[in-house]
Amino acid sequence: MNALSPLAVIISLASLLPLAAVADESKGSVEVVHWWTSGGEKAAVDVLKAQVEKDGFAWKDGAVAGGGGATAMTVLKSRAVSGNPPGVAQIKGPDIQDWGSTGLLGTDVLKDVAKQEKWDELLDKKVSDIVKFDGDYVAVPVNVHRVNWLWVNPEVLKKAGVAQAPTTLEEFYAAADKLKAAGFIALAHGGQPWQDSTVFENVVLSVMGPKGYQQAFVELDEKTLTGPEMVKSFEALKKVATYMDANRAGRDWNIAAADVINGKAGMQIMGDWAKSEWTAAKKVAGKDYQCVPFPGTANAFTYNVDSLAVFKLNADRKGDIAAQQDLAKVALGEDFQKVFSINKGSIPVRKDMQANMEKYGFDACAQASAKDFLKDAGNGGLQPSMAHNMATSLAVQGAIFDVVTNYINDPQADPAKAAQRLNSAIKSAK
């Protein structure tokens, strides 16, 4: 393995402490630390909990609200350092590799389950690689979110004289100009760093394509980060920002979504979790609203995969280990995959379900998402979301957030200088 990550260094002292020292002695229980606390998310987790309990195991809920998972990660790190990690925790993307390098994740726990349930056949290799450490499954993926969506209120576009949802950046600008002229907010947006960078990664994907996106945000290639296409991306971001609501500062994404739903705004750039807001408003996909790939990204799919990682427990805790295995089996089962994704707005992570979405009762947006996932998995269009913890470390992601948010809020910012700052910030954060 490579040198220890910062996380591994911080938590290395945990190896000196007995993991079962303060663990609950009751047989067959599993504690789950997660941040699925919204209405739909909680409903889905309750289904998982009910099935685990039906199978005879005790569920200890460790829900930690707030911060998009940042608060939960702080709690998890604190517990790991004290030698008291939970049985299972929600961990995403490259963070799974960092946790694996600490030696705290259970590399043997899921071997039999994965083999019996044929996970290697059910999962796309890009997904299975995310949840493996040194070739062994250490986590179970529960869904796939698509990030490069544009949400459109067709009635608002019609009132503004826009015939159809834009498919290119030039069409996007033209539609946005008409929306502004008609008195609508062209682009609903919440002025928070992760939202700013969600827009930015969509723009980069549109300008540079999947290959350029990968070179920039996965490989962190200096030539790409400072090259002419990155400068063009910052130029495009500057223009996109002119269509955003002037009152966006600090606003949550769901408040911005409400403006599109209520007819105050025409469009929003957001991942498919936004669909839950439309569903809650009793709107129908394909009729009351449209979900289309962000203009210029129809041949790409930026993804965000939620996963549950298992922690290593002492061998004498056989009942608790069995509970971990049962939870993993249920989480990748058809029933939970369907319920969870319908509540979250995502799609199942199983390829067999992705190929038969209508059979499982998924709406038009989910069906389109699954079709594109399967297509892009074979042509290089499938790319991890930088803005949603899938492409790089949290330190590098934070550096990108700072540069992008400073740039998007400075009308005088220079695109070429922004590209140079982006590269310098990433180099410092590595």
Side-chain angles (χ1 to χ4, degrees), residues 139-162:
V140 54
V142 295
N143 67 339
V144 177
H145 280 296
R146 186 177 192 173
V147 179
N148 60 311
W149 276 129
L150 180 71
W151 301 89
V152 176
N153 186 320
E155 186 63 26
V156 173
L157 262 62
K158 183 179 179 180
K159 290 178 179 177
V162 180

Side-chain angles (χ1 to χ4, degrees), residues 65-71:
T71 306

Side-chain angles (χ1 to χ4, degrees), residues 400-412:
I400 296 172
F401 280 14
D402 288 344
V403 172
V404 171
T405 290
N406 287 335
Y407 175 83
I408 209 170
N409 288 303
D410 181 3
Q412 306 304 318

Side-chain angles (χ1 to χ4, degrees), residues 53 248 274 351:
E53 291 179 338
R248 64 183 181 269
K351 290 190 294 183

